[in-house]
Amino acid sequence: MADLYEKLFALHQSMKKCRACLEEGYEIYPPAVVSGLVSAQFMTIGQAPGITEQEAGRPFNAGSGKRLFDWLGRAGIEEDWFRSTQYMTSVTKCYPGRQPSGSGDRVPGRREQELCRPFLDREIEIVDPRVIIPIGRLAINLFYPKKLKLQEIIATRLEVSGRWVIPLPHSSGASRWHQLEDNRRLIDQAITLIREQREQYFPQ
Ligand code: SF4
């Protein structure tokens, strides 16, 4: 385990020093924002940090975090415990800045995702979580076919390399998807799937 701690620490250091997107001319604001331990059974994967996450150096720090932990709370997962014992990362690790229109944050492009992908692969390899929760379309696309609608994905689970993938929609206030009643029912079902995994790995 000590070896894994060292590997994860070194990986986090590499991420924080990384300027690969800047070097290719992308507007991005390092350092990388990521948190968690090698002993985590659960890993959340968001899209990219927002400005408040980047300033605080903490994933899902703002409104999107509040909604996410409201959902996880209904699965019996408490925020402080989760933040201090589990793992939270994102498809790209640095704040991508605002959209040119100024409305909301920019969605990292395909090349930025490619540049950052080795970090995510390595995080999954080292942490080896039992349950991955991709949050929002960009993270969900890592595991599910892009042609599927969110309505066909949320409330399902997928077994990938011996771990469960249980997706959630983007939890930011900018997303209207989770406000629709039918979709809220799907989120309830996804929370039940997460609860089952929480009860298996962390019975209370
Ligand atoms: S988003 Fe990823 S690849 Fe791009 S600069 Fe940040 S850490 Fe490096």
Side-chain angles (χ1 to χ4, degrees):
M1 185 66 93
D3 185 38
L4 289 176
Y5 273 101
E6 282 168 21
K7 284 181 178 167
L8 189 63
F9 179 76
L11 181 65
H12 285 179
Q13 295 302 104
S14 304
M15 286 181 202
K16 288 185 174 158
K17 285 186 201 147
C18 179
R19 301 291 181 270
C21 294
L22 281 176
E23 284 160 13
E24 289 205 11
Y26 295 100
E27 183 187 359
I28 205 122
Y29 296 81
V33 178
V34 64
S35 77
L37 302 178
V38 285
S39 51
Q41 304 284 354
F42 286 83
M43 175 183 282
T44 60
I45 306 176
Q47 175 174 294
I51 184 67
T52 57
E53 282 80 16
Q54 209 254 358
E55 284 171 355
R58 180 167 110 134
F60 284 97
N61 191 51
S64 59
K66 184 175 180 327
R67 183 167 289 105
L68 172 64
F69 281 105
D70 282 347
W71 291 340
L72 294 181
R74 284 156 51 199
I77 291 173
E78 198 264 324
E79 178 173 353
D80 288 345
W81 169 81
F82 194 87
R83 286 190 184 280
S84 60
T85 61
Q86 304 303 299
Y87 200 91
M88 303 185 80
T89 188
S90 47
V91 176
T92 58
K93 318 294 184 198
C94 300
Y95 173 51
R98 303 286 288 173
Q99 291 191 48
S101 66
S103 64
D105 289 335
R106 191 174 65 80
V107 178
R110 186 184 298 178
R111 177 64 182 149
E112 292 158 275
Q113 294 173 49
E114 280 171 9
L115 287 169
C116 217
R117 182 63 192 259
F119 286 135
L120 181 60
D121 289 343
R122 190 84 178 111
E123 289 174 290
I124 294 172
E125 185 187 327
I126 294 173
V127 177
D128 193 20
R130 296 298 86 209
V131 183
I132 292 179
I133 304 173
I135 301 160
R137 193 77 226 200
L138 217 64
I140 290 171
N141 285 350
L142 300 173
F143 303 98
Y144 282 75
K146 288 183 188 162
K147 64 180 184 194
L148 291 181
K149 295 184 181 136
L150 219 44
Q151 283 88 338
E152 300 172 280
I153 292 172
I154 304 301
T156 70
R157 65 180 187 173
L158 204 63
E159 192 171 9
V160 179
S161 305
R163 35 184 149 253
W164 287 114
V165 173
I166 305 175
L168 286 173
H170 203 298
S171 56
S172 89
S175 166
R176 293 189 179 275
W177 193 92
H178 55 67
Q179 296 169 12
L180 302 176
E181 196 169 331
D182 284 352
N183 297 342
R184 286 215 296 262
R185 273 196 285 274
L186 294 176
I187 294 170
D188 287 345
Q189 291 167 34
I191 289 167
T192 299
L193 294 175
I194 294 170
R195 174 182 281 281
E196 286 170 6
Q197 295 302 313
R198 198 273 301 153
E199 287 171 348
Q200 178 173 344
Y201 292 107
F202 301 101
Q204 291 175 337

